[in-house]
Structures are given as C-alpha cells and as structure tokens.
Amino acid sequence: MPQICGIFYFEKDRIFSANEIHSKCSSLLKLNDKEEHFNVWADANIGLAGQKVKTSQKAFATKRFHIIADACLTNRTELMNKFGVLLSKQSNYPTADLILKAFEKWGEDCVEHLDGNFAFAIWDTQNKKLFCARDHIGGSKLFYYHDANKLIFASTPQGILNFPDVEEKFNKNKLSFFLIQEPHELTAKESWFENIFPLPVGTVLTSDFHGIKTRQYWQPEIGQPLPSKNKVDILEAFREIMFETVEAPIKEFNTVTALLSGGLDSSSIVSVAAKVLEKQNKELTVFSAVLDNQNDPHFSDERFYIDQFKSFPNVNIRYISAPESGPFTGLEDFFQNYDSPYITSRHYLFSEFTLQARNIGSSTILDGTYGECGPTYPGDGGFAELLSNYKWLTLWRELKKRKKLYGQSIKYNFRANALNPLLPDYLKKFKNRKVVNEIRINKYHPFQQNFVQELLKKTDIRECPVGKLFPDHRRTQFNDLNYLQQKISEFPSATFGREPVEYRYPFLNKKLLEFCLAVPLKLKIHNGYTRYLVRAGLDKILPPKIQWRTSKTPFSPDYIRRYNGQIGQVKEMLNGIKPNDPVCEFLDIEKIKKMVDLSIHKTESYTTYDPIAFDAVPQAIYLIYFMRRFSEFRL
C-alpha cells in the first residue's frame, strides 16, 4: 500500500538536525536500499515520509505547507477543474497536491470537500502545526503513537513499531473484539498494540507543541437530496457515481486487478472496471476462487457465473483453488507480518490472490466487499414500511413474487419482516428477551470466565446492533451503515501478509453510500427482487445471468473438507499447551478443545455455515498464533 509516516517532537526548545529527523523517518519505513521509492522531508522538529505512487510523485508542494498522502479521490476531476488545473496536466496531476490546494483554500474543513479514500498529514511551517485526517468510511488507514515528547504516525502499526523507542506490547483490552459483537470504545479506538491507536474513520487529528487533539468531522445522515425523483434519472446518476468510484483507483494505481466471485457485488465492480479499461484498450485480470476439480461429486462452485465474463473482450479470468491449503496453513509466518489476529478463515484463497497479483505486477486488488450497505442493499425494513404506509397491495405483490423468486414463505416474511418491526420496543424486548440479552456477547468466545468479567467492566456498548429492523428501510440501512463506520476501525490494514499488494474497496465511498441511502424503496425492492438498485442501475453492463440471479454458492464450498483435513494439527497444537503457558491467562484452552470436537462431525459435503468451524475455532487458533509474536506469550 502507499505507506506514509511521520514523527513530530513536542520539545519546542530542542532543535534536531534535518539529517537526524531524516534518519528517524527512514527507520519508520525501514528504507535501507529502497529509499529511492520514498519522499522524505525533515525539519527541526518534524519529519514526513511517503511512498511514491503513480499520481503522487510530488509529495511536498509549497514553502509553507508539506504533505504526505495515501489517497485515491473520486472527485479528482471536480477538484482539478475548481483549482484551474490544465486539462493536459490532469491525468498525472498528483493527488497530494490536490489535497494541499484544498487545505490552502478551506483549511481544516478541506476534508468535507474530498470524496474517496484518503489518509494524509500536512505540516504548517508558519503555525508549527500538524494536521492529519482519515476518510469518511475507512478505505485508508492511519495509526498513531504519542508520549510526553513526540507523536509518531504511520499507515500500519508496524510502521510505528519500526521506531526504536516504541515497545511492542500486546493490548489485552482489544480481546473484547472477539467477545462483544457491537462496536465499543475498547475495540473501535484501540489497536492490538498497547499505546498505538487507529485514527477513527471520519476523524481529524491536530498536533502542536502543546499535544494532540482529535475531532470527528463526519457521520452518515439520512436526508441527502437526490438529483431527481424520476426513476430513469436516478438510475443514470447511480451509474455515473459507480463509474466514478471504480475509475478512481484505476487512475491512481498501476496495474489494477480485481476479485470475481460470480455474485452481484464483485460482478458489479468487475463489469464497471472492465468498461473503464476497455476505453483505454487495457485488460483487466480477475481472480476467481473455484474448486480444484470442477467435476467434484460433493460440491459445486460459481464457475458458471464467473464464466459469464468470458464474453467481455478485455477480462482475463484466473481460476484460483489453492488445493493444498486450508484455514490453518502458514499461520506462524503469516502473523509475524500482520497487525491483527482477525482474518477470514478462507485466508488461504486471499493469500493466493495476493501472490498472483504480485506476480503480474499489480499493487492493487479491487474487492466488492461492503456493497450490502450501499448499491446492493437488500431493502430490509421495506415490507414494514409498505405496511405502515398502507401500501398493502404493493406489499402483497412483493411478498408473492419474493416467494416465487426466492422460495420464502409469505406467512413468515409478513410476520418477521412486515409486522414485527412495527411492534413497540418494549414488546419486542419482552418477546425476544433471551435474544436481546445475548446479542452483545459471542457465546463461542475462547476466554477464561474471570477475564470475560474483567473486559465487561471496561466496555461501554453502543446501541447499534447490525441487522435490527425498523419500519423504515432508510433507517434500517442507516443503522447498518453507522454500524459499519464504527466497526471498520476494528479491522486490520488492507494488505494481506508479506506481499505489498493492497485491497481497495470501491463501495466504501461516502458519495456512493449517501446516494444509495437516499434512493427510494421502489428502487431497492421491486417485483420480488432484492438489491434492485444495482440490477437496474447496471442494466446492459452486468451479464444478464448474474444481473437477475437470486442464489449464491458459498465462498470456498469445500471449506469443511479442508478444515477436517487440518484439524488434527490443531488438536495436536492445543494438546501441547500446558497450564503454565502464558496464553492461558486469557484463553480457556479446554473450551477451545471442546469447540474443536463439536466442529468435526460434519460430512465432507457439508456446506452450510457453521459458526464454530467457520469462525470460532479458526479465530481462537489465529489468536494464539498472533499472541506468540509478543515476547510475553512465548515460553
């Protein structure tokens, strides 16, 4: 990823030499023989360093201001036109310079005029003040460390840990991530490393000789206006924003690739990216997870839908199966280079995607994750909204067509999704008392009970449970979006393992999400279809077989076979952990062993989601391997 980092000393009376600051910045990135790939600038109390990328060659622009940025703006063209950049210079105009011009014009409010993913730092030499910012939704990362003498920041925790004076210590508070499902202070505002903090999404940080301050500048809001009430106009506007959003990383980074699962989310990204690159006479390489044996008697994959893109003249499909890998492959090496124990149990496929991308010279993979909060929002809360607004005929028609398309019971859908959301909260809590009381706690957590009580005393749980239905589809969607914005700070950096390849998520875009939130219900559920906005908005762009599909095969359908093939190694590893092992202070190894025993009774052809085999056991094992990177958890 385009790394940035910096160091600022609060000691006003102490003057460092530029060479000394330069050396300290270099240590943050461990530049060594690759220094030519970075811009490094240093002054008396401040040093900044940033990796050079396609449109960010010039990182420090004026006598008064100096900037480093990891940014991919979707409103580049709008900003360049506003600042009078000549058309002939726009294609290679540095994004960092655009942000700097925005800062010169609007000051700290510049973030309100930027769309896309960004994390940047600007030093004001006149006022001796540092200004850092992270984008609205969290597409780019920024971490910081501070003590009485200095502030250090970097794109990853490892960048900060490279600094000699920063000790690598495990933050036990962060373990609440695996205990409590809702976001809260311990998880959203802390990292897995003690005294290293993520800058929360939609937040700015300012620092001078008196210390640091943070301020949240954006939260999602209901009520953003649409350009028109006309269906055709709305769909055209949606299509335009989608192309804008996907085109941004293609312009910003060299050799962009993409993931293609065959579902609506990834197919939307691939379809648009292919059209953008087709105009440039360029090819798009996509990576698709398939079975090693397409004639496997036990499983089926998404190859039929993936192959719909063979009709696209510039899409090159690379099938990925990682046949010798599984959820417990290569963990010791992996977690020595990862800033979190939280990874998907299908990481073996993502590791292969990353390796393949690197082999063809790609530094960026487009990923369709998070679409369900925006373009592919299924319209939850819509049935209750129709019922409460007396649109009973429309509701009846949608219920009947939903049953025909998805096989869902009319009776169940009416009771659960139309009637229940209209009940007063006190009745819902009384009716579902057990569910309400348990929703915050992960019952498959791996912790000692006394440690659970210790964590619970420290937590301040926010009321935004994901999936809560309101009798208003926008309020439901807003709740899910607000949950995502708070929860995403808990997620690790966007790189995957050792390879310097970054995953970019086009759906994490403020303008796109606000637009989708404002779209009326009739364009989210229609004629029985969920996710209607993306289906209709990308008509004649999406392959028709994908556009109107209503089913989805599980990602890595042979997961249980891979899991069962490696679970013996896991049992052996757990049996080797003795009561005096330092991890036992927090982890209940006997409970983890019992979960392992519960998870291996499934037949080889089992594909239904099992929370123990897919999440609980792998996450417990990943946590053990991650903790081993810290000296305090080694025997």
Side-chain angles (χ1 to χ4, degrees):
M1 65 187 296
Q3 296 182 58
I4 63 172
C5 68
I7 183 167
F8 172 48
Y9 284 92
F10 303 141
E11 301 166 273
K12 187 174 182 180
D13 298 327
R14 183 181 176 188
I15 304 299
F16 295 85
S17 70
N19 287 339
E20 187 177 358
I21 293 287
H22 187 289
S23 174
K24 291 179 182 297
C25 273
S26 297
S27 72
L28 293 175
L29 292 171
K30 289 190 174 178
L31 297 184
N32 300 325
D33 59 332
K34 297 183 179 180
E35 188 164 340
E36 69 275 9
H37 299 304
F38 293 84
N39 292 300
V40 181
W41 172 84
D43 201 358
N45 296 84
I46 181 79
L48 306 174
Q51 186 177 358
K52 297 176 182 177
V53 293
K54 183 177 176 183
T55 60
S56 297
Q57 298 298 326
K58 183 181 178 185
F60 313 106
T62 70
K63 290 183 178 179
R64 177 176 173 182
F65 299 111
H66 301 271
I67 182 172
I68 50 171
D70 164 22
C72 178
L73 301 181
T74 55
N75 64 334
R76 270 176 55 87
T77 302
E78 176 189 334
L79 289 172
M80 287 188 290
N81 291 336
K82 183 168 290 189
F83 297 136
V85 178
L86 295 176
L87 189 62
S88 59
K89 296 183 178 181
Q90 288 191 4
S91 61
N92 291 315
Y93 197 82
T95 301
D97 278 10
L98 276 179
I99 296 174
L100 194 53
K101 286 182 180 296
F103 185 77
E104 288 177 318
K105 182 176 179 62
W106 295 297
E108 294 183 8
D109 292 336
C110 67
V111 287
E112 298 174 15
H113 300 268
L114 304 177
D115 285 328
N117 302 151
F118 56 81
F120 64 85
I122 295 174
W123 173 249
D124 182 344
T125 59
Q126 181 175 305
N127 294 319
K128 304 298 181 184
K129 187 175 184 180
L130 182 69
F131 176 76
C132 303
R134 187 177 174 198
D135 65 69
H136 311 77
I137 307 294
S140 294
K141 306 285 185 181
L142 196 63
F143 295 83
Y144 67 95
Y145 163 94
H146 67 98
D147 57 27
N149 301 317
K150 60 185 174 294
L151 165 71
I152 303 173
F153 63 88
S155 300
T156 66
Q158 189 59 52
I160 296 171
L161 292 168
N162 287 340
F163 195 77
D165 293 348
V166 179
E167 184 180 2
E168 183 178 77
K169 294 185 67 176
F170 182 73
N171 179 16
K172 68 178 183 179
N173 286 341
K174 191 73 173 180
L175 289 170
S176 58
F177 177 86
F178 293 114
L179 176 66
I180 302 164
Q181 296 175 349
E182 278 77 4
H184 53 86
E185 293 295 316
L186 292 186
T187 56
K189 293 188 178 181
E190 297 191 19
S191 78
W192 288 95
F193 303 88
E194 199 170 289
N195 298 321
I196 295 178
F197 306 94
L199 186 63
V201 298
T203 300
V204 299
L205 178 152
T206 55
S207 181
D208 55 23
F209 291 120
H210 301 291
I212 69 170
K213 294 179 182 179
T214 60
R215 170 180 62 85
Q216 186 175 24
Y217 67 85
W218 184 81
Q219 282 186 305
E221 292 181 359
I222 298 176
Q224 296 295 320
L226 286 171
S228 169
K229 293 184 179 180
N230 180 273
K231 174 182 176 180
V232 174
D233 293 341
I234 292 173
L235 293 178
E236 178 59 36
F238 167 73
R239 192 157 39 244
E240 183 179 322
I241 296 173
M242 272 291 293
F243 270 81
E244 223 177 64
T245 301
V246 175
E247 189 174 19
I250 293 174
K251 286 182 175 181
E252 190 74 33
F253 305 109
N254 291 313
T255 318
V256 170
T257 51
L259 301 187
L260 174 62
S261 70
L264 267 176
D265 297 86
S266 66
S267 297
S268 300
I269 299 297
V270 169
S271 297
V272 174
K275 296 297 182 185
V276 170
L277 288 168
E278 187 178 18
K279 293 179 181 178
Q280 304 173 21
N281 294 316
K282 292 182 179 179
E283 186 179 77
L284 175 66
T285 297
V286 300
F287 307 116
S288 298
V290 296
L291 293 168
D292 187 41
N293 175 13
Q294 66 182 99
N295 297 314
D296 192 304
H298 299 290
F299 304 103
S300 61
D301 58 25
E302 290 283 272
R303 198 181 296 253
F304 171 79
Y305 293 102
I306 292 164
D307 286 350
Q308 298 301 309
F309 282 91
K310 286 185 174 180
S311 63
F312 282 54
N314 66 327
V315 172
N316 172 29
I317 302 172
R318 293 200 175 195
Y319 302 111
I320 305 295
S321 58
E324 303 301 321
S325 300
F328 306 108
T329 298
L331 298 182
E332 186 171 357
D333 181 65
F334 184 91
F335 284 112
Q336 290 301 314
N337 301 279
Y338 207 55
D339 56 34
S340 167
Y342 179 68
I343 58 169
T344 171
S345 56
R346 276 76 77 202
H347 64 88
Y348 48 91
L349 290 172
F350 287 90
S351 292
E352 190 63 25
F353 297 151
T354 303
L355 180 61
Q356 292 287 332
R358 188 59 178 168
N359 287 344
I360 63 171
S362 173
S363 62
T364 305
I365 300 176
L366 302 183
D367 188 330
T369 304
Y370 307 117
E372 68 278 1
C373 286
T376 60
Y377 179 68
D380 294 345
F383 286 165
E385 183 176 328
L386 291 174
L387 182 62
S388 64
N389 290 337
Y390 306 104
K391 295 182 179 180
W392 298 338
L393 185 60
T394 302
L395 173 61
W396 176 244
R397 184 177 65 247
E398 289 295 334
L399 287 169
K400 286 199 302 180
K401 292 187 176 181
R402 182 73 62 87
K403 180 182 179 182
K404 182 178 179 181
L405 289 171
Y406 296 87
Q408 296 175 356
S409 161
I410 292 177
K411 181 179 179 180
Y412 171 81
N413 247 333
F414 179 77
R415 184 179 67 250
N417 297 318
L419 194 59
N420 276 2
L422 292 169
L423 295 176
D425 284 344
Y426 74 90
L427 283 179
K428 283 188 279 190
K429 288 182 180 180
F430 177 78
K431 181 181 177 183
N432 301 306
R433 181 166 55 250
K434 291 183 180 180
V435 175
V436 170
N437 289 338
E438 292 178 0
I439 193 170
R440 297 175 178 176
I441 305 298
N442 170 22
K443 64 181 178 180
Y444 300 118
H445 69 76
F447 303 123
Q448 298 278 6
Q449 195 56 39
N450 58 341
F451 180 61
V452 169
Q453 297 306 315
E454 180 184 334
L455 284 178
L456 290 176
K457 289 177 182 177
K458 297 180 180 179
T459 55
D460 176 22
I461 301 171
R462 306 173 188 178
E463 288 289 345
C464 61
V466 68
K468 182 176 181 179
L469 281 181
F470 297 93
D472 179 325
H473 85 276
R474 281 199 187 93
R475 190 178 172 195
T476 305
Q477 186 176 357
F478 169 80
N479 185 71
D480 291 352
L481 178 55
N482 194 46
Y483 179 91
L484 173 64
Q485 192 204 24
Q486 295 178 16
K487 193 77 174 173
I488 207 164
S489 290
E490 303 174 359
F491 298 159
S493 302
T495 51
F496 213 85
R498 289 182 181 271
E499 300 298 333
V501 176
E502 184 181 17
Y503 286 78
R504 289 275 172 175
Y505 306 98
F507 289 137
L508 289 181
N509 178 270
K510 168 183 171 284
K511 183 177 180 181
L512 179 63
L513 289 169
E514 286 182 334
F515 181 90
C516 293
L517 185 61
V519 167
L521 178 61
K522 64 182 179 182
L523 289 178
K524 292 172 182 170
I525 55 174
H526 184 70
N527 284 338
Y529 284 102
T530 63
R531 308 177 180 217
Y532 184 73
L533 176 61
V534 77
R535 300 179 196 269
L538 296 184
D539 187 38
K540 303 190 186 311
I541 297 172
L542 275 168
K545 296 285 187 183
I546 297 174
Q547 181 182 8
W548 302 110
R549 70 176 300 192
T550 57
S551 62
K552 184 72 168 68
T553 300
F555 186 62
S556 188
D558 61 346
Y559 172 82
I560 289 295
R561 181 162 62 194
R562 296 175 189 253
Y563 179 91
N564 287 347
Q566 294 185 327
I567 200 64
Q569 304 167 30
V570 171
K571 295 181 78 171
E572 185 178 341
M573 186 267 279
L574 290 172
N575 287 333
I577 297 177
K578 306 304 179 185
N580 65 335
D581 193 301
V583 300
C584 295
E585 179 184 353
F586 305 116
L587 302 182
D588 186 339
I589 300 301
E590 293 305 313
K591 179 180 179 179
I592 297 172
K593 288 179 181 179
K594 289 177 183 177
M595 289 195 294
V596 168
D597 291 337
L598 286 172
S599 70
I600 58 177
H601 68 279
K602 304 294 187 295
T603 62
E604 187 179 81
S605 58
Y606 187 84
T607 59
T608 304
Y609 171 74
D610 176 354
I612 299 178
F614 278 77
D615 289 326
V617 169
Q619 293 301 338
I621 303 306
Y622 301 160
L623 181 55
I624 293 171
Y625 276 96
F626 180 75
M627 292 171 77
R628 295 293 193 210
R629 72 176 281 171
F630 300 88
S631 59
E632 61 200 283
F633 295 111
R634 299 186 204 127
L635 289 174

